[in-house]
Amino acid sequence: MASLDTFVNEIDRLSRRLLRNLECCDRTLVAAVELTAAQAYSLLVLDERGPSTMTELAFEMRLHGTTMTRMVDGLVEKDLAERQADAEDRRVVRVHLTDRGREAVEEIQRAKTSFLAAAFSDLSDEERDAILKALRRFTDTAEQLGARCCCCR
């Protein structure tokens, strides 16, 4: 069994490799819809969460509020998202997906599903289950870390 230091160093090395490679693939996949990876992630978050405030989006994306505002500005310019006053409190502005934004999300999800299905098609059900279990645990831990150290708490 590896020591804690060895384990931590290997987690750091492997997670950096994983992130670099997945980000590279994401940039390639979203190029078809003429978005940056960050813009595509924002659309996916809006699809998952529904209409959200800028603060909620910035927290979910782990971005500073001004960065998130510029990101949403770009999505609005491309008619993928829109800002609307909240029905209950007009001081609150929520970002919504437009019809075009929902179409972009569907296209992104189709491309990612096809890409990942091909990559994992040769795994057994047991291997897929083991990967999902470990990835869920790793993601939960990463989210706990992000809540403690990210600038957008």
Side-chain angles (χ1 to χ4, degrees), residues 57-117:
L57 284 174
F59 178 79
E60 186 72 24
M61 294 287 297
R62 303 295 195 259
L63 294 173
H64 193 274
T66 55
T67 304
M68 194 71 240
T69 297
R70 285 193 305 274
M71 179 93 57
V72 169
D73 287 345
L75 296 173
V76 169
E77 287 173 20
K78 293 179 182 208
D79 190 34
L80 299 170
E82 61 186 359
R83 292 180 174 95
Q84 293 179 349
D86 187 276
E88 296 178 19
D89 185 348
R90 294 186 52 82
R91 294 172 297 175
V92 175
V93 174
R94 296 198 178 276
V95 180
H96 297 252
L97 286 176
T98 62
D99 289 342
R100 191 163 177 233
R102 280 186 282 283
E103 290 170 7
V105 166
E106 289 174 10
E107 190 171 340
I108 292 164
Q109 288 175 329
R110 272 193 306 272
K112 288 176 80 68
T113 298
S114 174
F115 179 78
L116 292 171

Short mmCIF file of all heavy atoms in Angstrom, two decimals, residues 57-117:
data_model
loop_
_atom_site.label_atom_id
_atom_site.label_comp_id
_atom_site.label_asym_id
_atom_site.label_seq_id
_atom_site.Cartn_x
_atom_site.Cartn_y
_atom_site.Cartn_z
N LEU A 57 -24.38 31.20 -10.83
CA LEU A 57 -23.56 30.69 -11.94
C LEU A 57 -22.08 30.80 -11.62
O LEU A 57 -21.31 29.87 -11.87
CB LEU A 57 -23.86 31.46 -13.23
CG LEU A 57 -25.15 31.13 -13.95
CD1 LEU A 57 -25.36 32.08 -15.12
CD2 LEU A 57 -25.14 29.69 -14.42
N ALA A 58 -21.67 31.95 -11.09
CA ALA A 58 -20.25 32.15 -10.77
C ALA A 58 -19.79 31.12 -9.75
O ALA A 58 -18.71 30.54 -9.88
CB ALA A 58 -20.03 33.57 -10.24
N PHE A 59 -20.63 30.85 -8.74
CA PHE A 59 -20.27 29.84 -7.74
C PHE A 59 -20.15 28.47 -8.39
O PHE A 59 -19.18 27.75 -8.17
CB PHE A 59 -21.30 29.81 -6.61
CG PHE A 59 -21.00 28.75 -5.59
CD1 PHE A 59 -20.03 28.96 -4.62
CD2 PHE A 59 -21.66 27.53 -5.62
CE1 PHE A 59 -19.74 27.97 -3.69
CE2 PHE A 59 -21.37 26.54 -4.70
CZ PHE A 59 -20.40 26.76 -3.73
N GLU A 60 -21.14 28.09 -9.18
CA GLU A 60 -21.14 26.76 -9.81
C GLU A 60 -19.95 26.59 -10.75
O GLU A 60 -19.36 25.51 -10.83
CB GLU A 60 -22.45 26.56 -10.56
CG GLU A 60 -22.64 25.18 -11.12
CD GLU A 60 -22.92 24.13 -10.06
OE1 GLU A 60 -23.40 24.47 -8.96
OE2 GLU A 60 -22.62 22.96 -10.32
N MET A 61 -19.60 27.65 -11.47
CA MET A 61 -18.49 27.59 -12.42
C MET A 61 -17.13 27.84 -11.76
O MET A 61 -16.10 27.71 -12.39
CB MET A 61 -18.71 28.61 -13.54
CG MET A 61 -19.90 28.33 -14.42
SD MET A 61 -19.60 26.95 -15.53
CE MET A 61 -18.26 27.59 -16.52
N ARG A 62 -17.16 28.24 -10.48
CA ARG A 62 -15.94 28.59 -9.74
C ARG A 62 -15.20 29.73 -10.45
O ARG A 62 -13.99 29.70 -10.64
CB ARG A 62 -15.01 27.39 -9.55
CG ARG A 62 -15.62 26.20 -8.83
CD ARG A 62 -15.97 26.54 -7.39
NE ARG A 62 -16.23 25.39 -6.58
CZ ARG A 62 -17.45 24.96 -6.25
NH1 ARG A 62 -18.51 25.59 -6.69
NH2 ARG A 62 -17.61 23.90 -5.49
N LEU A 63 -15.97 30.76 -10.83
CA LEU A 63 -15.42 31.94 -11.49
C LEU A 63 -15.74 33.18 -10.68
O LEU A 63 -16.74 33.22 -9.96
CB LEU A 63 -16.01 32.10 -12.90
CG LEU A 63 -15.68 31.04 -13.93
CD1 LEU A 63 -16.47 31.26 -15.20
CD2 LEU A 63 -14.18 31.02 -14.22
N HIS A 64 -14.92 34.20 -10.83
CA HIS A 64 -15.20 35.49 -10.22
C HIS A 64 -16.43 36.09 -10.91
O HIS A 64 -16.67 35.82 -12.09
CB HIS A 64 -13.99 36.41 -10.38
CG HIS A 64 -14.06 37.62 -9.54
ND1 HIS A 64 -14.70 38.76 -9.93
CD2 HIS A 64 -13.59 37.86 -8.29
CE1 HIS A 64 -14.63 39.66 -8.98
NE2 HIS A 64 -13.95 39.14 -7.97
N GLY A 65 -17.19 36.87 -10.19
CA GLY A 65 -18.42 37.44 -10.73
C GLY A 65 -18.23 38.24 -12.01
O GLY A 65 -19.03 38.13 -12.95
N THR A 66 -17.16 39.03 -12.10
CA THR A 66 -16.94 39.83 -13.31
C THR A 66 -16.61 38.93 -14.51
O THR A 66 -17.03 39.22 -15.63
CB THR A 66 -15.82 40.87 -13.11
OG1 THR A 66 -14.63 40.21 -12.67
CG2 THR A 66 -16.22 41.92 -12.09
N THR A 67 -15.90 37.85 -14.25
CA THR A 67 -15.59 36.90 -15.32
C THR A 67 -16.88 36.23 -15.80
O THR A 67 -17.10 36.06 -17.01
CB THR A 67 -14.58 35.84 -14.84
OG1 THR A 67 -13.42 36.50 -14.36
CG2 THR A 67 -14.23 34.87 -15.94
N MET A 68 -17.74 35.87 -14.86
CA MET A 68 -19.01 35.24 -15.22
C MET A 68 -19.89 36.20 -16.00
O MET A 68 -20.56 35.81 -16.96
CB MET A 68 -19.73 34.76 -13.94
CG MET A 68 -20.87 33.80 -14.21
SD MET A 68 -20.29 32.18 -14.75
CE MET A 68 -21.08 32.08 -16.33
N THR A 69 -19.87 37.48 -15.63
CA THR A 69 -20.65 38.48 -16.35
C THR A 69 -20.19 38.57 -17.80
O THR A 69 -21.02 38.60 -18.72
CB THR A 69 -20.54 39.86 -15.66
OG1 THR A 69 -21.10 39.74 -14.34
CG2 THR A 69 -21.27 40.93 -16.43
N ARG A 70 -18.88 38.60 -18.02
CA ARG A 70 -18.36 38.64 -19.41
C ARG A 70 -18.75 37.37 -20.17
O ARG A 70 -19.08 37.42 -21.35
CB ARG A 70 -16.85 38.84 -19.41
CG ARG A 70 -16.43 40.25 -19.08
CD ARG A 70 -14.95 40.52 -19.38
NE ARG A 70 -14.05 39.59 -18.72
CZ ARG A 70 -13.59 39.74 -17.49
NH1 ARG A 70 -13.94 40.77 -16.77
NH2 ARG A 70 -12.75 38.86 -16.99
N MET A 71 -18.72 36.23 -19.48
CA MET A 71 -19.09 34.97 -20.12
C MET A 71 -20.56 35.03 -20.56
O MET A 71 -20.89 34.67 -21.69
CB MET A 71 -18.90 33.82 -19.13
CG MET A 71 -19.28 32.48 -19.67
SD MET A 71 -17.90 31.64 -20.39
CE MET A 71 -16.78 31.60 -19.02
N VAL A 72 -21.43 35.47 -19.67
CA VAL A 72 -22.85 35.55 -19.99
C VAL A 72 -23.08 36.59 -21.09
O VAL A 72 -23.89 36.37 -21.99
CB VAL A 72 -23.70 35.85 -18.73
CG1 VAL A 72 -25.14 36.19 -19.10
CG2 VAL A 72 -23.67 34.63 -17.81
N ASP A 73 -22.34 37.69 -21.06
CA ASP A 73 -22.45 38.69 -22.13
C ASP A 73 -22.22 38.03 -23.49
O ASP A 73 -22.95 38.28 -24.45
CB ASP A 73 -21.44 39.83 -21.95
CG ASP A 73 -21.79 40.77 -20.81
OD1 ASP A 73 -22.95 40.75 -20.33
OD2 ASP A 73 -20.89 41.55 -20.41
N GLY A 74 -21.19 37.18 -23.57
CA GLY A 74 -20.91 36.49 -24.82
C GLY A 74 -22.03 35.54 -25.23
O GLY A 74 -22.36 35.43 -26.42
N LEU A 75 -22.62 34.86 -24.26
CA LEU A 75 -23.73 33.95 -24.56
C LEU A 75 -24.96 34.72 -25.01
O LEU A 75 -25.69 34.28 -25.90
CB LEU A 75 -24.05 33.08 -23.34
CG LEU A 75 -22.95 32.13 -22.89
CD1 LEU A 75 -23.32 31.44 -21.58
CD2 LEU A 75 -22.63 31.11 -23.97
N VAL A 76 -25.20 35.88 -24.41
CA VAL A 76 -26.33 36.72 -24.80
C VAL A 76 -26.12 37.23 -26.22
O VAL A 76 -27.04 37.21 -27.05
CB VAL A 76 -26.53 37.88 -23.79
CG1 VAL A 76 -27.51 38.92 -24.33
CG2 VAL A 76 -27.00 37.34 -22.44
N GLU A 77 -24.90 37.67 -26.53
CA GLU A 77 -24.58 38.16 -27.87
C GLU A 77 -24.81 37.09 -28.93
O GLU A 77 -25.21 37.40 -30.06
CB GLU A 77 -23.13 38.65 -27.95
CG GLU A 77 -22.89 39.95 -27.25
CD GLU A 77 -21.42 40.32 -27.21
OE1 GLU A 77 -20.63 39.78 -28.03
OE2 GLU A 77 -21.05 41.14 -26.35
N LYS A 78 -24.59 35.84 -28.58
CA LYS A 78 -24.78 34.73 -29.52
C LYS A 78 -26.21 34.19 -29.49
O LYS A 78 -26.51 33.19 -30.12
CB LYS A 78 -23.79 33.60 -29.20
CG LYS A 78 -22.35 33.98 -29.45
CD LYS A 78 -21.41 32.85 -29.11
CE LYS A 78 -19.98 33.32 -29.34
NZ LYS A 78 -19.10 32.25 -29.68
N ASP A 79 -27.08 34.84 -28.72
CA ASP A 79 -28.49 34.45 -28.57
C ASP A 79 -28.62 33.03 -28.01
O ASP A 79 -29.53 32.29 -28.38
CB ASP A 79 -29.25 34.59 -29.90
CG ASP A 79 -30.75 34.42 -29.73
OD1 ASP A 79 -31.28 34.82 -28.67
OD2 ASP A 79 -31.39 33.83 -30.63
N LEU A 80 -27.72 32.67 -27.10
CA LEU A 80 -27.78 31.36 -26.45
C LEU A 80 -28.37 31.46 -25.05
O LEU A 80 -28.83 30.47 -24.49
CB LEU A 80 -26.38 30.75 -26.40
CG LEU A 80 -25.74 30.50 -27.76
CD1 LEU A 80 -24.27 30.13 -27.60
CD2 LEU A 80 -26.49 29.43 -28.52
N ALA A 81 -28.32 32.66 -24.49
CA ALA A 81 -28.87 32.91 -23.16
C ALA A 81 -29.45 34.31 -23.14
O ALA A 81 -29.14 35.14 -24.01
CB ALA A 81 -27.77 32.78 -22.10
N GLU A 82 -30.30 34.53 -22.14
CA GLU A 82 -30.87 35.88 -21.97
C GLU A 82 -31.01 36.16 -20.49
O GLU A 82 -31.12 35.25 -19.68
CB GLU A 82 -32.22 36.00 -22.67
CG GLU A 82 -33.29 35.05 -22.16
CD GLU A 82 -34.57 35.09 -22.96
OE1 GLU A 82 -34.67 35.87 -23.92
OE2 GLU A 82 -35.48 34.33 -22.61
N ARG A 83 -30.98 37.44 -20.18
CA ARG A 83 -31.20 37.88 -18.80
C ARG A 83 -32.66 38.32 -18.68
O ARG A 83 -33.17 39.01 -19.55
CB ARG A 83 -30.29 39.05 -18.48
CG ARG A 83 -28.82 38.69 -18.41
CD ARG A 83 -28.01 39.94 -18.08
NE ARG A 83 -26.62 39.66 -17.88
CZ ARG A 83 -25.69 39.77 -18.82
NH1 ARG A 83 -26.02 40.16 -20.04
NH2 ARG A 83 -24.43 39.50 -18.54
N GLN A 84 -33.29 37.91 -17.57
CA GLN A 84 -34.68 38.31 -17.32
C GLN A 84 -34.82 38.67 -15.85
O GLN A 84 -34.22 38.01 -14.98
CB GLN A 84 -35.65 37.17 -17.63
CG GLN A 84 -35.74 36.81 -19.08
CD GLN A 84 -36.71 35.65 -19.31
OE1 GLN A 84 -37.16 34.99 -18.37
NE2 GLN A 84 -37.03 35.40 -20.56
N ALA A 85 -35.63 39.70 -15.58
CA ALA A 85 -35.93 40.05 -14.20
C ALA A 85 -36.73 38.92 -13.57
O ALA A 85 -37.59 38.32 -14.21
CB ALA A 85 -36.71 41.36 -14.14
N ASP A 86 -36.43 38.63 -12.31
CA ASP A 86 -37.15 37.61 -11.56
C ASP A 86 -38.60 38.08 -11.36
O ASP A 86 -38.85 39.23 -11.04
CB ASP A 86 -36.46 37.40 -10.22
CG ASP A 86 -37.04 36.25 -9.44
OD1 ASP A 86 -38.05 36.45 -8.75
OD2 ASP A 86 -36.49 35.15 -9.55
N ALA A 87 -39.54 37.17 -11.54
CA ALA A 87 -40.96 37.52 -11.42
C ALA A 87 -41.32 37.97 -10.01
O ALA A 87 -42.19 38.81 -9.83
CB ALA A 87 -41.81 36.33 -11.85
N GLU A 88 -40.66 37.42 -9.00
CA GLU A 88 -40.99 37.74 -7.62
C GLU A 88 -40.21 38.93 -7.07
O GLU A 88 -40.67 39.60 -6.14
CB GLU A 88 -40.76 36.52 -6.73
CG GLU A 88 -41.69 35.37 -7.08
CD GLU A 88 -41.41 34.13 -6.23
OE1 GLU A 88 -40.78 34.25 -5.17
OE2 GLU A 88 -41.85 33.05 -6.65
N ASP A 89 -39.03 39.18 -7.61
CA ASP A 89 -38.20 40.30 -7.14
C ASP A 89 -37.47 40.88 -8.34
O ASP A 89 -36.47 40.34 -8.80
CB ASP A 89 -37.21 39.80 -6.08
CG ASP A 89 -36.39 40.92 -5.46
OD1 ASP A 89 -36.41 42.06 -5.98
OD2 ASP A 89 -35.74 40.66 -4.44
N ARG A 90 -37.96 41.99 -8.85
CA ARG A 90 -37.42 42.57 -10.07
C ARG A 90 -35.98 43.05 -9.92
O ARG A 90 -35.32 43.33 -10.91
CB ARG A 90 -38.33 43.69 -10.56
CG ARG A 90 -39.69 43.15 -11.01
CD ARG A 90 -40.57 44.20 -11.64
NE ARG A 90 -39.96 44.95 -12.72
CZ ARG A 90 -39.86 44.54 -13.99
NH1 ARG A 90 -40.34 43.37 -14.34
NH2 ARG A 90 -39.30 45.30 -14.89
N ARG A 91 -35.48 43.14 -8.68
CA ARG A 91 -34.07 43.50 -8.49
C ARG A 91 -33.15 42.34 -8.86
O ARG A 91 -31.97 42.55 -9.14
CB ARG A 91 -33.82 43.90 -7.04
CG ARG A 91 -34.54 45.16 -6.62
CD ARG A 91 -34.42 45.37 -5.14
NE ARG A 91 -35.08 44.25 -4.46
CZ ARG A 91 -35.08 44.05 -3.15
NH1 ARG A 91 -34.45 44.89 -2.37
NH2 ARG A 91 -35.71 43.02 -2.62
N VAL A 92 -33.69 41.14 -8.86
CA VAL A 92 -32.92 39.93 -9.16
C VAL A 92 -33.03 39.64 -10.65
O VAL A 92 -34.11 39.64 -11.22
CB VAL A 92 -33.45 38.73 -8.33
CG1 VAL A 92 -32.74 37.45 -8.73
CG2 VAL A 92 -33.33 39.01 -6.85
N VAL A 93 -31.88 39.39 -11.26
CA VAL A 93 -31.84 39.04 -12.68
C VAL A 93 -31.41 37.58 -12.79
O VAL A 93 -30.43 37.16 -12.16
CB VAL A 93 -30.86 39.96 -13.45
CG1 VAL A 93 -30.72 39.50 -14.89
CG2 VAL A 93 -31.32 41.40 -13.36
N ARG A 94 -32.14 36.83 -13.58
CA ARG A 94 -31.82 35.42 -13.80
C ARG A 94 -31.42 35.23 -15.26
O ARG A 94 -31.97 35.85 -16.15
CB ARG A 94 -33.01 34.53 -13.47
CG ARG A 94 -33.37 34.59 -12.00
CD ARG A 94 -34.22 33.42 -11.57
NE ARG A 94 -34.48 33.51 -10.15
CZ ARG A 94 -33.66 33.07 -9.21
NH1 ARG A 94 -32.55 32.47 -9.54
NH2 ARG A 94 -33.96 33.20 -7.94
N VAL A 95 -30.47 34.34 -15.45
CA VAL A 95 -30.00 33.99 -16.79
C VAL A 95 -30.74 32.73 -17.21
O VAL A 95 -30.79 31.75 -16.45
CB VAL A 95 -28.47 33.78 -16.82
CG1 VAL A 95 -28.01 33.42 -18.22
CG2 VAL A 95 -27.75 35.01 -16.28
N HIS A 96 -31.32 32.76 -18.39
CA HIS A 96 -32.09 31.64 -18.95
C HIS A 96 -31.44 31.21 -20.26
O HIS A 96 -30.89 32.03 -20.99
CB HIS A 96 -33.52 32.09 -19.31
CG HIS A 96 -34.34 32.53 -18.16
ND1 HIS A 96 -35.38 31.79 -17.67
CD2 HIS A 96 -34.29 33.65 -17.39
CE1 HIS A 96 -35.93 32.43 -16.66
NE2 HIS A 96 -35.29 33.56 -16.47
N LEU A 97 -31.60 29.94 -20.60
CA LEU A 97 -31.24 29.47 -21.94
C LEU A 97 -32.31 29.92 -22.92
O LEU A 97 -33.49 29.89 -22.60
CB LEU A 97 -31.15 27.95 -21.99
CG LEU A 97 -29.97 27.28 -21.33
CD1 LEU A 97 -30.12 25.76 -21.40
CD2 LEU A 97 -28.66 27.72 -21.95
N THR A 98 -31.89 30.32 -24.10
CA THR A 98 -32.84 30.57 -25.19
C THR A 98 -33.09 29.26 -25.91
O THR A 98 -32.43 28.24 -25.64
CB THR A 98 -32.27 31.60 -26.18
OG1 THR A 98 -31.08 31.04 -26.77
CG2 THR A 98 -31.95 32.93 -25.51
N ASP A 99 -34.02 29.26 -26.86
CA ASP A 99 -34.23 28.06 -27.67
C ASP A 99 -32.94 27.66 -28.37
O ASP A 99 -32.59 26.48 -28.43
CB ASP A 99 -35.34 28.30 -28.70
CG ASP A 99 -36.72 28.39 -28.06
OD1 ASP A 99 -36.88 27.94 -26.90
OD2 ASP A 99 -37.63 28.93 -28.71
N ARG A 100 -32.23 28.65 -28.88
CA ARG A 100 -30.96 28.38 -29.56
C ARG A 100 -29.93 27.81 -28.57
O ARG A 100 -29.13 26.94 -28.92
CB ARG A 100 -30.44 29.66 -30.19
CG ARG A 100 -29.30 29.45 -31.12
CD ARG A 100 -29.11 30.64 -32.03
NE ARG A 100 -27.96 30.38 -32.85
CZ ARG A 100 -26.93 31.20 -32.98
NH1 ARG A 100 -26.95 32.37 -32.41
NH2 ARG A 100 -25.90 30.86 -33.71
N GLY A 101 -29.96 28.29 -27.33
CA GLY A 101 -29.07 27.77 -26.30
C GLY A 101 -29.38 26.32 -25.98
O GLY A 101 -28.47 25.50 -25.80
N ARG A 102 -30.68 25.98 -25.91
CA ARG A 102 -31.06 24.58 -25.65
C ARG A 102 -30.62 23.69 -26.81
O ARG A 102 -30.19 22.56 -26.60
CB ARG A 102 -32.57 24.48 -25.41
CG ARG A 102 -32.97 24.89 -24.00
CD ARG A 102 -34.44 24.65 -23.71
NE ARG A 102 -35.29 25.67 -24.29
CZ ARG A 102 -35.46 26.89 -23.79
NH1 ARG A 102 -34.83 27.24 -22.70
NH2 ARG A 102 -36.24 27.76 -24.38
N GLU A 103 -30.71 24.20 -28.04
CA GLU A 103 -30.24 23.42 -29.20
C GLU A 103 -28.73 23.19 -29.11
O GLU A 103 -28.24 22.10 -29.43
CB GLU A 103 -30.60 24.14 -30.50
CG GLU A 103 -32.07 24.16 -30.82
CD GLU A 103 -32.43 25.09 -31.98
OE1 GLU A 103 -31.50 25.64 -32.63
OE2 GLU A 103 -33.63 25.29 -32.22
N ALA A 104 -28.00 24.21 -28.70
CA ALA A 104 -26.54 24.08 -28.56
C ALA A 104 -26.21 23.04 -27.48
O ALA A 104 -25.30 22.23 -27.66
CB ALA A 104 -25.91 25.43 -28.22
N VAL A 105 -26.95 23.07 -26.37
CA VAL A 105 -26.73 22.09 -25.30
C VAL A 105 -26.95 20.68 -25.84
O VAL A 105 -26.15 19.77 -25.59
CB VAL A 105 -27.67 22.37 -24.09
CG1 VAL A 105 -27.72 21.18 -23.15
CG2 VAL A 105 -27.22 23.61 -23.36
N GLU A 106 -28.03 20.49 -26.59
CA GLU A 106 -28.31 19.16 -27.15
C GLU A 106 -27.19 18.72 -28.08
O GLU A 106 -26.78 17.56 -28.05
CB GLU A 106 -29.65 19.18 -27.88
CG GLU A 106 -30.85 19.27 -26.96
CD GLU A 106 -32.17 19.44 -27.70
OE1 GLU A 106 -32.20 19.30 -28.94
OE2 GLU A 106 -33.17 19.73 -27.03
N GLU A 107 -26.69 19.63 -28.89
CA GLU A 107 -25.60 19.29 -29.81
C GLU A 107 -24.32 18.95 -29.04
O GLU A 107 -23.63 17.98 -29.36
CB GLU A 107 -25.35 20.46 -30.77
CG GLU A 107 -24.42 20.10 -31.90
CD GLU A 107 -24.36 21.18 -32.96
OE1 GLU A 107 -25.27 22.02 -33.06
OE2 GLU A 107 -23.36 21.17 -33.71
N ILE A 108 -24.02 19.72 -28.01
CA ILE A 108 -22.84 19.46 -27.19
C ILE A 108 -22.98 18.09 -26.51
O ILE A 108 -22.05 17.28 -26.52
CB ILE A 108 -22.64 20.57 -26.13
CG1 ILE A 108 -22.26 21.88 -26.80
CG2 ILE A 108 -21.60 20.16 -25.09
CD1 ILE A 108 -22.42 23.09 -25.89
N GLN A 109 -24.14 17.83 -25.94
CA GLN A 109 -24.35 16.56 -25.23
C GLN A 109 -24.28 15.37 -26.20
O GLN A 109 -23.72 14.33 -25.84
CB GLN A 109 -25.67 16.59 -24.47
CG GLN A 109 -25.60 17.48 -23.26
CD GLN A 109 -26.93 17.63 -22.54
OE1 GLN A 109 -27.98 17.59 -23.15
NE2 GLN A 109 -26.86 17.82 -21.23
N ARG A 110 -24.83 15.53 -27.40
CA ARG A 110 -24.73 14.44 -28.39
C ARG A 110 -23.28 14.16 -28.73
O ARG A 110 -22.85 13.00 -28.78
CB ARG A 110 -25.51 14.80 -29.66
CG ARG A 110 -26.96 14.41 -29.66
CD ARG A 110 -27.59 14.50 -31.04
NE ARG A 110 -27.42 15.79 -31.68
CZ ARG A 110 -28.24 16.84 -31.54
NH1 ARG A 110 -29.30 16.74 -30.77
NH2 ARG A 110 -28.01 17.97 -32.16
N ALA A 111 -22.51 15.21 -28.97
CA ALA A 111 -21.10 15.03 -29.34
C ALA A 111 -20.32 14.39 -28.19
O ALA A 111 -19.54 13.46 -28.42
CB ALA A 111 -20.49 16.39 -29.71
N LYS A 112 -20.55 14.87 -26.96
CA LYS A 112 -19.84 14.31 -25.82
C LYS A 112 -20.24 12.86 -25.57
O LYS A 112 -19.39 12.02 -25.28
CB LYS A 112 -20.09 15.16 -24.57
CG LYS A 112 -19.39 16.51 -24.60
CD LYS A 112 -19.74 17.37 -23.41
CE LYS A 112 -19.01 17.04 -22.18
NZ LYS A 112 -17.58 17.30 -22.14
N THR A 113 -21.53 12.56 -25.70
CA THR A 113 -22.00 11.19 -25.48
C THR A 113 -21.38 10.24 -26.49
O THR A 113 -20.90 9.16 -26.14
CB THR A 113 -23.54 11.14 -25.55
OG1 THR A 113 -24.08 11.95 -24.51
CG2 THR A 113 -24.06 9.72 -25.41
N SER A 114 -21.38 10.64 -27.73
CA SER A 114 -20.81 9.80 -28.78
C SER A 114 -19.32 9.58 -28.54
O SER A 114 -18.82 8.45 -28.64
CB SER A 114 -21.06 10.46 -30.14
OG SER A 114 -20.41 9.75 -31.15
N PHE A 115 -18.62 10.65 -28.22
CA PHE A 115 -17.18 10.59 -27.99
C PHE A 115 -16.85 9.68 -26.81
O PHE A 115 -16.00 8.79 -26.90
CB PHE A 115 -16.67 12.02 -27.75
CG PHE A 115 -15.21 12.11 -27.47
CD1 PHE A 115 -14.29 12.01 -28.51
CD2 PHE A 115 -14.75 12.31 -26.18
CE1 PHE A 115 -12.94 12.11 -28.26
CE2 PHE A 115 -13.40 12.40 -25.92
CZ PHE A 115 -12.49 12.30 -26.96
N LEU A 116 -17.54 9.88 -25.68
CA LEU A 116 -17.25 9.10 -24.49
C LEU A 116 -17.72 7.65 -24.62
O LEU A 116 -17.05 6.73 -24.13
CB LEU A 116 -17.88 9.75 -23.25
CG LEU A 116 -17.24 11.09 -22.84
CD1 LEU A 116 -18.07 11.77 -21.76
CD2 LEU A 116 -15.80 10.91 -22.41
N ALA A 117 -18.83 7.43 -25.30
CA ALA A 117 -19.32 6.06 -25.51
C ALA A 117 -18.28 5.25 -26.29
O ALA A 117 -18.00 4.10 -25.96
CB ALA A 117 -20.66 6.07 -26.23
#
